[in-house]
Amino acid sequence: MSEVWKKYQEENKERFLNEMMDLLRIPSISAKSENKADMKQCAEAVKAALLASGCDKAAVMETGGHPAVYGEKIIDPSKPTVLVYGHYDVQPVEPLELWNTPPFEPTIRDGKVFARGSADDKGQFYMHVKALETMVHTNTMATNIKFIIEGEEEVGSPNLGAFVAAHKELLKADVILISDSSLLSMENPSLDTGVRGLSYIEVEVTAAARDLHSGTYGGAVANPIVILSKMIASCHDADNHITIPGFYEDVLEISADERELINKAPFNEQEYKDEIGIKELYGEKGFSTYERTGIRPTLELNGIWGGYTGEGAKTVLPAKATAKISARLVPNQSSEKITKLLLEHFRKIAPPCVDITAFEHHGGEPYGTPIDSKGYQAASKALETTFGKTPIPVKGGGSIPICSVLENELGIKIIFMGFGLDNDGLHSPNEKYNIENYYKGIETIPYFHKYFGE
Amino acid sequence: MSEVWKKYQEENKERFLNEMMDLLRIPSISAKSENKADMKQCAEAVKAALLASGCDKAAVMETGGHPAVYGEKIIDPSKPTVLVYGHYDVQPVEPLELWNTPPFEPTIRDGKVFARGSADDKGQFYMHVKALETMVHTNTMATNIKFIIEGEEEVGSPNLGAFVAAHKELLKADVILISDSSLLSMENPSLDTGVRGLSYIEVEVTAAARDLHSGTYGGAVANPIVILSKMIASCHDADNHITIPGFYEDVLEISADERELINKAPFNEQEYKDEIGIKELYGEKGFSTYERTGIRPTLELNGIWGGYTGEGAKTVLPAKATAKISARLVPNQSSEKITKLLLEHFRKIAPPCVDITAFEHHGGEPYGTPIDSKGYQAASKALETTFGKTPIPVKGGGSIPICSVLENELGIKIIFMGFGLDNDGLHSPNEKYNIENYYKGIETIPYFHKYFGE
């Protein structure tokens, strides 16, 4: 079977790449209202691709927010069904000036496709579309396949839960397969066994009714940037433990065995530092880098602004300062609970000289998948077949908020089979996806269906 | 004499106002390179106004930066000469969305002209132009008058020192008169006896070579916003004393008498708070509000930015974060020394996991003027004549960096005779200048020349 697949993919590889790049040209930024029409256009393009690649039916479906795209190829209702989840929406592209080529003009350099969404997640979910095409054209399908490609992952999937609840029969499947994560490396293939959860809040500190002259009022009126900085600074102690009371309350003790397994994954400190251009590792005392990103919750500042940020100097005492703050959560923590905790904490620690407006952005629950399940074993075998090595089970640091919702509504487990690399620059300028990884994914996915269908 | 002046000013008051508003229409923002042509146009407009108002000669003069405008009316070389200093450049206008009417479309509401530069300093220096016209047309000049109206005050007058040094003979005078400050109120006229100095730096904290995904790297890589916040937070202790070693070293002990004088100025806490919309007074422990803004040095955050600052949420771990930081200085402190101290301090307190780029913007030395000088006495008498009350001597909080330069180069004292109000919104959205104050200035200035010429 592998020869048939290989031949078909080899003959069509250029087209497979060009089709993916066409999808990258659509600026489907879900966070920005100005891109609403682009979102619609992208959803239609995904639907067309599903139909052209072998789905019997496909539809752009309303969700209350940006639409989701559904597609299916049912070969035999008695066979297992795999539900492929992906998302066609992408992150904002700022700061634009740091992109070497425009984010929505996909450019190939050095074997990589540079564009927003190349790895997260258009390039990755499109591997499944081309894997479907491979199996349909070679008449080798071993499972039924359903697709749910949503348009709100990057804003926390606020409508997908209700959508899934309303379409349980349509989405009925035996396992959910997601490619929206990374391999340790091409030499060290891996499978994520979970994702961290997310809480995300925005805090605005207002000290005065308007911007003031820093000479006339400086020294006599609270400076909101200083106040906000003090609030932020107070959230980590000298060991980088988070000091917010109750933050770690629900975090489970990790066994020595599990920590050992995590730390078995190959880690080259110098390569890690060089790849992202950092001078030193930095993080919570008492934990390794993989533990810090895999099994420990974190608190990050994602954005801050206030006062004059233009060219030159302005002697202003700003009226307000604002920060975007998020926490990554680990199993047994609740996004809802931590979000509430964060909102209350920032309201509480603000001094009486300022007003606080704090509200939440999207969150998502942490998620874990057992490695002894049929789905994980099928994925592990598929990677072993194409990489020649058993993949290492690892804890992913990122969040896919919809995971727990999908499992709860559909009652089935999720398998994370990502083909990205940590250096893909997700959410960053110059996001890229290696062409080699794209093809490797298309090559590997049919084996998952083969082993899962057995 | 007062009747002659009053009559002339009454007959021409509408034109006086319209001419000033025409000047406000030119977006002469010195900090922004895109406004270079506007700067030139504004300088030419000032020159034309000086000639039309009675100057014998006027010229737009190159300075190496934005041009300065010189003008003079010499009636008798044996009489005293007053050099009027002002500036035609203005502050940037961001945040634009907070302006009720466009900053360069002067609008009259409620007896006030709203526009950038209305109080700082176009409306204020133009009072001197119209006072000159009044005296010329009524043939009542008691002194020679020279004008130097510069175009770089809001960026720290980087070229005026050299310009003045190169034109000492041209600018030779007996006193310098500046209207670029405020009265306590119309009921409590006052004269500033000094201005604070300024040091201004920018600090950029870089933690990684590019923005990173906060899920993949969060917890394992330093967050530059957190690092910068901790650095900022460390600069003030719980009593709001500045903790930077050596910062207060050169600050002179203020005598109990002087502090008593400062605190004699009428201060209504509730009115002060209501006017700028603050909930509580805030500042250095052990000092009153007027002491905090008049005789104490301060450290302010003028701007901060880093990471994602757009709509919605982005789970980014930013590569860098930046802050604009300034200090107001009091007599005997040196701007150069404090700037160096600040730069070194921020470089020193940065942890080894980040790179620091710190550089200086413009600074200026603090300045004081004695109240027993002939100039101060003439100004005091002038205000007493038109306000019916002896003005209160006060310490101004703002900075006019060129003061010490002017005094050093020309060997004469500076008199601050400002007619603005603290609520004029200098450097803020909706800057305004009360029309009543504009006319009061034009009415008062001729008396200064009269008393100074006696």
Side-chain angles (χ1 to χ4, degrees):
Chain A
M1 203 179 287
S2 70
E3 286 312 307
V4 184
W5 289 342
K6 214 164 198 160
K7 182 165 179 290
Y8 184 80
Q9 288 170 355
E10 193 58 37
E11 283 168 6
N12 292 282
K13 65 190 288 187
E14 274 187 35
R15 180 174 55 79
F16 283 6
L17 184 60
N18 288 332
E19 283 179 20
M20 185 261 274
M21 286 171 66
D22 281 344
L23 209 56
L24 296 176
R25 280 180 237 280
I26 306 171
S28 49
I29 304 168
S30 48
K32 302 217 166 171
S33 40
E34 71 206 57
N35 294 101
K36 207 177 164 192
D38 301 312
M39 291 299 297
K40 189 88 198 326
Q41 189 201 339
C42 196
E44 292 292 344
V46 172
K47 174 189 156 189
L50 287 172
L51 289 172
S53 304
C55 278
D56 297 324
K57 58 182 192 185
V60 172
M61 299 179 76
E62 292 312 316
T63 66
H66 296 299
V69 186
Y70 174 78
E72 63 173 44
K73 172 76 181 176
I74 308 295
I75 51 161
D76 178 351
S78 71
K79 294 222 172 195
T81 300
V82 176
L83 176 62
V84 174
Y85 165 89
H87 63 93
Y88 69 85
D89 65 323
V90 301
Q91 279 276 317
V93 295
E94 290 82 7
L96 200 54
E97 67 275 15
L98 294 185
W99 287 79
N100 296 324
T101 47
F104 297 110
E105 293 177 21
T107 308
I108 294 174
R109 287 193 301 276
D110 205 19
K112 306 167 178 83
V113 179
F114 287 86
R116 171 58 86 230
S118 53
D120 182 14
D121 177 50
K122 287 173 176 173
Q124 292 218 55
F125 87 71
Y126 208 72
M127 299 182 308
H128 291 270
V129 182
K130 294 299 101 178
L132 169 77
E133 182 187 315
T134 302
M135 293 183 283
V136 169
H137 274 258
T138 55
N139 201 23
T140 52
M141 280 188 65
T143 64
N144 303 306
I145 303 185
K146 294 179 175 179
F147 288 88
I148 182 73
I149 310 297
E150 74 149 318
E152 300 192 306
E153 198 273 342
E154 299 294 4
V155 292
S157 307
N159 296 292
L160 200 70
F163 178 87
V164 171
H167 298 90
K168 279 188 186 180
E169 195 52 38
L170 184 73
L171 299 173
K172 196 164 184 264
D174 297 287
V175 74
I176 298 167
L177 184 60
I178 303 182
S179 294
D180 193 16
S181 52
S182 299
L183 300 162
L184 282 173
S185 69
M186 289 303 267
E187 295 71 41
N188 296 296
S190 56
L191 284 168
D192 279 5
T193 58
V195 292
R196 289 196 283 187
L198 181 71
S199 285
Y200 201 122
I201 68 167
E202 189 161 324
V203 177
E204 185 185 75
V205 173
T206 303
R210 57 182 167 87
D211 282 0
L212 301 169
H213 188 295
S214 73
T216 314
Y217 294 101
V221 173
N223 186 309
I225 300 176
V226 174
I227 301 287
L228 181 57
S229 293
K230 280 184 183 280
M231 289 165 65
I232 292 168
S234 75
C235 291
H236 289 91
D237 67 16
D239 291 335
N240 285 313
H241 291 298
I242 296 158
T243 58
I244 300 171
F247 185 83
Y248 292 110
E249 195 177 273
D250 295 330
V251 177
L252 301 174
E253 182 82 34
I254 303 286
S255 71
D257 282 0
E258 194 169 346
R259 290 184 68 172
E260 203 188 315
L261 186 68
I262 289 164
N263 291 313
K264 256 191 189 160
F267 179 72
N268 182 318
E269 182 175 327
Q270 197 54 49
E271 271 179 22
Y272 185 89
K273 290 196 294 188
D274 290 349
E275 194 136 278
I276 53 177
I278 62 171
K279 289 167 71 184
E280 292 190 1
L281 297 176
Y282 185 90
E284 194 180 2
K285 198 173 168 181
F287 295 94
S288 71
T289 290
Y290 281 154
E291 288 172 344
R292 286 166 176 172
T293 60
I295 56 166
R296 293 299 291 171
T298 66
L299 186 74
E300 293 298 334
L301 265 288
N302 306 106
I304 192 166
W305 67 100
Y308 183 66
T309 59
E311 191 184 343
K314 184 177 174 185
T315 47
V316 66
L317 174 55
K320 54 182 69 180
T322 313
K324 291 183 194 269
I325 305 167
S326 66
R328 296 283 173 174
L329 311 177
V330 296
N332 204 46
Q333 283 188 298
S334 148
S335 168
E336 193 183 331
K337 187 172 164 187
I338 295 291
T339 301
K340 199 161 161 256
L341 187 77
L342 292 179
L343 291 171
E344 277 170 9
H345 180 72
F346 279 97
R347 286 179 190 131
K348 194 175 142 193
I349 64 172
C353 57
V354 297
D355 277 316
I356 292 288
T357 309
F359 64 93
E360 63 177 299
H361 288 295
H362 69 86
E365 299 302 336
Y367 185 83
T369 204
I371 64 173
D372 55 4
S373 66
K374 185 181 165 197
Y376 184 89
Q377 289 302 318
S380 182
K381 235 172 126 183
L383 265 75
E384 201 177 319
T385 306
T386 56
F387 283 86
K389 263 188 191 177
T390 306
I392 303 161
V394 300
K395 294 272 180 190
S399 303
I400 307 178
I402 201 62
C403 291
S404 58
V405 178
L406 287 174
E407 171 162 340
N408 292 344
E409 292 295 343
L410 301 175
I412 48 177
K413 275 286 168 191
I414 294 167
I415 305 303
F416 303 99
M417 194 168 72
F419 290 91
L421 293 174
D422 275 356
N423 69 6
D424 282 340
L426 311 191
H427 299 201
S428 305
N430 304 310
E431 178 182 348
K432 59 86 182 166
Y433 193 33
N434 290 14
I435 296 173
E436 178 189 7
N437 293 46
Y438 178 63
Y439 288 139
K440 199 73 175 179
I442 298 173
E443 182 190 345
T444 305
I445 291 165
Y447 287 101
F448 174 86
H449 293 280
K450 177 174 185 286
Y451 299 132
F452 193 75
E454 275 170 1
Chain B
M1 203 179 283
S2 70
E3 285 312 307
V4 185
W5 289 341
K6 216 165 197 160
K7 183 164 177 290
Y8 184 81
Q9 288 170 355
E10 193 56 37
E11 284 167 5
N12 292 282
K13 62 188 293 187
E14 274 188 31
R15 180 174 55 79
F16 284 5
L17 184 60
N18 288 332
E19 283 178 22
M20 186 262 273
M21 286 171 66
D22 282 343
L23 210 56
L24 295 176
R25 280 180 237 279
I26 307 170
S28 50
I29 303 169
S30 49
K32 301 217 167 169
S33 40
E34 70 206 59
N35 294 102
K36 207 177 164 192
D38 302 310
M39 291 298 297
K40 189 88 197 332
Q41 189 201 338
C42 195
E44 292 292 345
V46 172
K47 175 190 157 189
L50 287 171
L51 289 172
S53 305
C55 278
D56 298 324
K57 58 180 193 187
V60 173
M61 300 179 75
E62 293 311 317
T63 65
H66 296 299
V69 187
Y70 174 78
E72 65 173 40
K73 173 74 180 176
I74 307 296
I75 52 160
D76 176 352
S78 72
K79 295 221 175 198
T81 299
V82 176
L83 176 63
V84 174
Y85 166 90
H87 63 93
Y88 68 85
D89 66 321
V90 301
Q91 279 275 319
V93 295
E94 290 83 5
L96 200 52
E97 68 275 14
L98 294 185
W99 287 79
N100 296 325
T101 48
F104 296 109
E105 294 177 20
T107 308
I108 295 174
R109 285 194 302 274
D110 205 18
K112 306 167 178 82
V113 179
F114 287 86
R116 171 58 87 230
S118 53
D120 182 15
D121 176 49
K122 287 173 176 173
Q124 292 218 57
F125 87 71
Y126 207 71
M127 299 181 309
H128 292 270
V129 181
K130 295 298 101 179
L132 170 76
E133 182 188 316
T134 302
M135 294 183 284
V136 169
H137 274 258
T138 55
N139 201 24
T140 52
M141 281 188 67
T143 65
N144 303 305
I145 303 185
K146 294 179 175 178
F147 288 88
I148 181 72
I149 310 297
E150 73 149 319
E152 301 193 306
E153 198 271 345
E154 300 294 4
V155 292
S157 307
N159 296 292
L160 199 72
F163 178 87
V164 172
H167 297 90
K168 279 188 187 179
E169 196 52 39
L170 184 74
L171 300 173
K172 197 166 182 261
D174 298 288
V175 74
I176 298 166
L177 185 58
I178 303 181
S179 294
D180 193 16
S181 51
S182 300
L183 301 162
L184 283 173
S185 68
M186 290 302 268
E187 296 71 41
N188 296 297
S190 57
L191 284 167
D192 279 6
T193 59
V195 291
R196 289 196 283 187
L198 182 71
S199 286
Y200 201 122
I201 67 166
E202 188 162 324
V203 177
E204 184 185 78
V205 173
T206 303
R210 58 180 165 87
D211 283 0
L212 302 169
H213 188 296
S214 74
T216 314
Y217 294 101
V221 173
N223 186 310
I225 300 176
V226 174
I227 301 288
L228 181 58
S229 293
K230 281 184 182 279
M231 289 165 65
I232 292 167
S234 75
C235 290
H236 289 90
D237 67 16
D239 291 335
N240 284 314
H241 291 297
I242 295 158
T243 58
I244 300 171
F247 186 82
Y248 292 109
E249 193 177 273
D250 295 329
V251 176
L252 301 175
E253 183 82 35
I254 303 286
S255 71
D257 283 0
E258 194 169 345
R259 290 184 67 173
E260 205 190 314
L261 186 68
I262 289 165
N263 292 314
K264 258 192 188 157
F267 180 72
N268 182 319
E269 182 176 327
Q270 197 54 48
E271 272 177 23
Y272 185 89
K273 291 197 292 187
D274 289 349
E275 194 135 277
I276 53 179
I278 62 171
K279 288 168 71 183
E280 290 190 2
L281 297 176
Y282 185 90
E284 195 181 0
K285 197 173 171 180
F287 295 94
S288 71
T289 291
Y290 281 153
E291 288 173 344
R292 287 166 176 171
T293 61
I295 58 167
R296 293 300 290 173
T298 65
L299 186 75
E300 292 298 336
L301 265 288
N302 306 106
I304 193 166
W305 68 100
Y308 183 66
T309 59
E311 190 183 346
K314 184 177 173 184
T315 47
V316 66
L317 173 55
K320 54 182 68 180
T322 313
K324 292 184 194 269
I325 304 168
S326 66
R328 297 283 172 172
L329 311 177
V330 295
N332 205 46
Q333 283 188 298
S334 149
S335 168
E336 194 184 330
K337 188 172 162 186
I338 295 291
T339 301
K340 199 163 159 254
L341 187 77
L342 293 179
L343 290 171
E344 278 170 7
H345 179 73
F346 280 98
R347 285 178 191 132
K348 196 177 141 192
I349 64 172
C353 57
V354 297
D355 277 315
I356 291 289
T357 309
F359 64 93
E360 62 177 299
H361 287 295
H362 70 88
E365 300 301 337
Y367 184 82
T369 205
I371 65 171
D372 55 4
S373 65
K374 186 182 164 196
Y376 184 89
Q377 289 302 319
S380 182
K381 238 173 123 181
L383 266 74
E384 202 178 318
T385 306
T386 56
F387 283 86
K389 263 189 193 177
T390 306
I392 304 162
V394 301
K395 295 272 180 190
S399 303
I400 307 178
I402 202 61
C403 290
S404 59
V405 178
L406 287 173
E407 171 162 339
N408 292 344
E409 292 295 343
L410 301 175
I412 47 176
K413 276 285 168 192
I414 293 166
I415 305 302
F416 303 99
M417 194 169 71
F419 290 90
L421 294 175
D422 275 355
N423 69 5
D424 282 340
L426 311 190
H427 299 200
S428 305
N430 304 309
E431 178 181 348
K432 60 87 181 164
Y433 192 32
N434 292 14
I435 296 172
E436 177 189 8
N437 293 46
Y438 178 63
Y439 289 139
K440 198 73 174 177
I442 299 173
E443 182 190 346
T444 306
I445 292 163
Y447 287 101
F448 175 85
H449 293 279
K450 177 174 184 286
Y451 298 130
F452 193 73
E454 275 170 1

